[in-house]
Amino acid sequence: MRKDDCIFCKIANGEILSKTLHEDEKFRVILDLGPATRGHALILPKDHASNLYELPDDIAANVLILARNMASQMTQKLNCDGFNLVQNNGKAAGQTVNHFHMHLIPRYLSDGQNINWISSEPSAKELEEVKRQITE
Ligand code: AMP
Ligand code: ZN
């Protein structure tokens, strides 16, 4: 279902024009307007889901297949040196548009980008506590 006030619904369904790399029944893949690197693209499902938690099973299952296919095509055509898939959920994670999307980010050895995190050094006890909190 399309959500009236959602910009990515409008883009995914062709009401707002975009640089489309791929379109099928369920998805549109577009170039990001504020790219981290050359070729940075977004996979948008045509049906609205705000985030990963809301994603229906069939879209969740198909999105990674599409990501793999796009990554292969883009790596070949752009001759990039690596590839990041990024998918943000919630403000704390950097999500700015509340329509599920997956970032396809071609990486180049000289791109100067830093899509990374600062590692911490938890104790064995802390790791055990986290494991228990998640699994019990
Ligand atoms: P996120 O921070 O994960 O929610 O990512 C949102 C992404 O959407 C950012 O990389 C923006 O540059 C991109 N973006 C926002 N509006 C548009 C638009 N109209 N067309 C293409 N990309 C957009
Ligand atoms: Zn939407």
Side-chain angles (χ1 to χ4, degrees):
M1 279 285 282
R2 187 180 155 290
K3 192 163 173 274
D4 278 345
D5 58 350
C6 174
I7 185 164
F8 277 7
C9 278
K10 293 193 173 95
I11 292 173
N13 290 283
E15 284 168 54
I16 294 178
L17 288 184
S18 62
K19 294 284 183 215
T20 296
L21 306 181
H22 168 89
E23 185 186 2
D24 60 40
E25 194 192 335
K26 301 270 184 204
F27 298 98
R28 184 185 294 270
V29 182
I30 65 165
L31 284 182
D32 195 299
L33 283 185
T37 64
R38 187 166 188 272
H40 180 171
L42 302 171
I43 298 180
L44 310 179
K46 290 187 174 178
D47 283 343
H48 184 85
S50 295
N51 48 44
L52 181 66
Y53 311 112
E54 288 187 6
L55 210 59
D57 282 359
D58 64 322
I59 301 300
N62 282 309
V63 75
L64 197 57
I65 295 172
L66 178 55
R68 179 201 61 195
N69 293 344
M70 291 305 305
S72 297
Q73 179 182 347
M74 291 165 75
T75 298
Q76 196 188 5
K77 301 273 185 165
L78 295 172
N79 202 24
C80 57
D81 303 304
F83 215 94
N84 288 118
L85 295 183
V86 176
Q87 201 280 306
N88 301 325
N89 298 282
K91 197 174 169 188
Q95 184 177 14
T96 58
V97 181
N98 291 325
H99 174 123
F100 174 94
H101 51 281
M102 185 174 279
H103 294 263
L104 302 168
I105 308 179
R107 298 302 305 276
Y108 308 89
L109 289 172
S110 60
D111 66 28
Q113 273 293 352
N114 186 16
I115 301 170
N116 234 321
W117 55 84
I118 300 162
S119 291
S120 58
E121 293 180 7
S123 64
K125 183 165 169 277
E126 168 65 3
L127 285 176
E128 179 59 25
E129 276 172 19
V130 175
K131 188 204 83 174
R132 269 212 245 135
Q133 189 174 353
I134 294 168
T135 58
E136 278 179 7

